[in-house]
Amino acid sequence: MTVVAVLTLVFIFENTREVRIRILIPEVSMPLYLALLATAVLGAGCGYYASSRRQK
């Protein structure tokens, strides 16, 4: 688990270029590592929520 987290963080912080992202209607410009980090956090949160619901 720790190895996966470290590799994910290394991948995220190696991608530092600026990208344009369209979120529904507005288009925002941000560093790619922030978009990847936000996606990873949202995915981990959804996974945690789904696994906690399954255990009950």
Side-chain angles (χ1 to χ4, degrees), residues 2-55:
T2 304
V3 173
V4 173
V6 169
L7 289 175
T8 301
L9 289 174
V10 168
F11 175 75
I12 287 171
F13 290 113
E14 285 294 318
N15 292 288
T16 58
R17 71 174 196 269
E18 192 82 9
V19 294
R20 291 188 327 215
I21 300 171
R22 181 176 296 264
I23 304 172
L24 297 177
I25 295 172
E27 187 172 292
V28 296
S29 180
M30 64 185 344
L32 182 57
Y33 71 88
L34 287 178
L36 290 170
L37 186 60
T39 303
V41 168
L42 285 172
C46 289
Y48 176 77
Y49 176 74
S51 70
S52 69
R53 298 258 314 156
R54 187 174 288 176
Q55 291 176 359

